[in-house]
C-alpha cells in the first residue's frame, strides 16, 4: 500500500502482467486480480486427479512461503485450509500455459480460493 501511495508501480496491482507490466493502470485495478484467474481458466479435458491437485497445491504453498513472490500469509493459510478441510479444486488436465507451465491449473485453484469454480469436497 505504501508503494501505491507513493505512486510506485506495483506489478499486477497498478500495472498489467508479463509483457504488459510496463502498462500502468489508472490507479489500483482490483479487477486485475479477478480477471487473471478467469483469463487463464481455459483448460479442457477430464479433471486432474485429486491427489495430484493437492500435491500441486502443497508445492505452491512451499514455493510461495519462500517469500520471493510477495504474497500474503493469508493466502498461504487459505491454501492450507483447503488442504486441511478436504477442499480440492477441480482442475482440467489440459491447457497449461506460460513459462512455469502451471498458469492454467493454478488459475483454477486461485478462482476456487475466490469462491468461483467447482471443487471436490472430501473427494466427492
Amino acid at each position: 500500500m505504501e508503494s501505491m501511495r507513493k505512486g510506485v508501480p506495483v506489478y499486477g496491482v497498478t500495472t498489467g502482467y508479463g509483457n504488459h507490466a510496463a502498462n500502468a493502470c489508472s490507479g489500483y485495478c482490483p479487477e486485475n486480480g479477478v480477471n487473471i484467474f478467469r483469463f487463464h481458466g481455459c483448460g479442457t479435458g477430464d479433471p486432474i486427479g485429486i491427489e495430484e491437485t493437492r500435491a500441486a497445491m502443497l508445492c505452491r504453498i512451499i514455493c510461495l512461503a519462500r517469500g520471493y513472490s510477495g504474497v500474503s500469509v493469508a493466502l498461504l493459510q487459505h491454501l492450507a485450509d483447503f488442504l486441511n478441510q478436504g477442499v480440492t479444486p477441480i482442475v482440467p488436465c489440459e491447457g497449461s500455459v506460460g513459462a512455469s507451465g502451471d498458469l492454467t491449473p493454478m488459475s483454477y485453484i486461485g478462482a476456487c480460493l475466490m469462491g468461483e469454480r467447482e471443487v471436490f469436497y472430501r473427494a466427492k
Side-chain angles (χ1 to χ4, degrees):
M1 293 302 264
E2 184 65 27
S3 293
M4 289 173 36
R5 279 193 282 275
K6 291 181 178 179
V8 175
V10 179
Y11 179 78
V13 177
T14 61
T15 73
Y17 296 96
N19 289 339
H20 300 284
N23 299 336
C25 298
S26 56
Y28 171 54
C29 299
E31 64 276 5
N32 271 4
V34 174
N35 289 339
I36 192 111
F37 295 116
R38 292 176 180 156
F39 176 77
H40 286 292
C42 57
T44 62
D46 293 330
I48 295 171
I50 291 173
E51 290 180 8
E52 291 82 0
T53 301
R54 293 174 66 76
M57 292 168 67
L58 179 59
C59 288
R60 183 56 55 202
I61 290 170
I62 292 166
C63 290
L64 293 174
R66 293 182 176 168
Y68 298 116
S69 297
V71 300
S72 67
V73 172
L75 172 64
L76 302 177
Q77 185 61 58
H78 200 160
L79 280 164
D81 289 345
F82 265 39
L83 291 175
N84 290 332
Q85 295 171 15
V87 178
T88 306
I90 296 176
V91 178
C93 66
E94 297 180 31
S96 187
V97 298
S100 63
D102 67 352
L103 287 176
T104 295
M106 286 299 148
S107 75
Y108 281 84
I109 293 168
C112 289
L113 292 169
M114 295 186 321
E116 297 184 2
R117 302 233 179 239
E118 296 180 330
V119 300
F120 291 109
Y121 179 64
R122 298 187 179 165
K124 297 182 182 189

